[in-house]
Amino acid sequence: MSERQPARRPGGRSARIGAEVHQAVTDLISERGYGNFTVGEVAARAGVADSSIYRRWGNLETLLTDVALTRLNAQSPMPDTGSLDGDLRTYAAQVAREITGPDGVAVVRLAVALSSSGEQGVQAAEDLRAERTRQLQSMLDRARERGEQAPDAFDVLDHILAPMYIRVLFGMVPLTPDYIDGLVDRLL
């Protein structure tokens, strides 16, 4: 008879605290904009000690980068539909839903702000771009392995993501399915 292992809770307290801190950052960016709050204000909003944030993330820029990457990766994972056309349409629709959702504009503004906020912020923005480019490249590599012609990752950024981000930043929404499909059509 085998001994029964206790059930493991997915996430637990650490995951809950991380989610609360991430939400506090997103809310503060929505309310005040980038650069207009401190680690102490994030901690107070999340109901944790400042030291918890410093211990886990080290500084505000690292926390902000983690928030942006986590949101982008969780909400817009790389699809695998079996065709590049399907992957790009699914991915573009996911991104559109994310950036037009309740916290979407805040996450887009965060990514933009990180890129112009000094040396540490520039590195954070570069980390964001590098991770997203790596993920896009994996989708494009799968397409090439299937024998499909695929653009490079920067073409996807320039022709699909950038137009959607600009429209959201300047309040030119909604991003309709026809608009999104048109972006993919023009790229392919």
Side-chain angles (χ1 to χ4, degrees):
M1 176 183 227
S2 68
E3 203 172 296
R4 202 169 162 197
Q5 296 292 321
R8 295 187 69 169
R9 290 183 308 158
R13 183 177 185 274
S14 179
R16 182 182 50 77
I17 289 170
E20 289 169 358
V21 169
H22 278 215
Q23 190 60 52
V25 167
T26 303
D27 292 345
L28 286 165
I29 289 170
S30 292
E31 294 166 16
R32 301 183 192 173
Y34 176 82
N36 296 318
F37 56 88
T38 65
V39 167
E41 290 170 308
V42 172
R45 177 75 61 105
V48 300
D50 296 21
S51 59
S52 295
I53 292 176
Y54 286 116
R55 186 172 41 255
R56 188 165 181 174
W57 288 281
N59 60 48
L60 187 57
E61 269 73 25
T62 302
L63 170 59
L64 296 174
T65 302
D66 185 48
V67 169
L69 274 172
T70 300
R71 289 293 174 107
L72 289 171
N73 292 338
Q75 300 298 322
S76 303
M78 291 297 120
D80 188 359
T81 66
S83 74
L84 179 59
D85 183 78
D87 289 352
L88 287 173
R89 288 181 199 289
T90 301
Y91 175 66
Q94 289 171 346
V95 170
R97 275 191 304 279
E98 169 61 14
I99 64 176
T100 59
D103 298 331
V105 175
V107 173
V108 172
R109 286 186 178 140
L110 172 58
V112 170
L114 283 170
S115 68
S116 60
S117 65
E119 188 175 318
Q120 198 168 23
V122 170
Q123 183 59 53
E126 182 57 37
D127 292 346
L128 279 171
R129 272 191 307 277
E131 176 61 15
R132 201 37 133 186
T133 301
R134 183 193 65 73
Q135 292 171 347
L136 284 169
Q137 194 60 54
S138 70
M139 177 176 50
L140 299 170
D141 289 345
R142 277 195 318 267
R144 286 187 188 98
E145 289 168 8
R146 290 188 300 259
E148 296 177 85
Q149 277 195 321
D152 74 17
F154 285 108
D155 286 335
V156 176
L157 291 170
D158 288 343
H159 296 282
I160 295 176
L161 297 180
M164 290 193 302
Y165 279 42
I166 291 297
R167 283 182 172 244
V168 167
L169 284 171
F170 289 102
M172 301 165 56
V173 289
L175 300 176
T176 66
D178 287 342
Y179 174 75
I180 295 164
D181 282 342
L183 295 174
V184 174
D185 291 340
R186 284 188 289 282
L187 175 63
L188 295 178

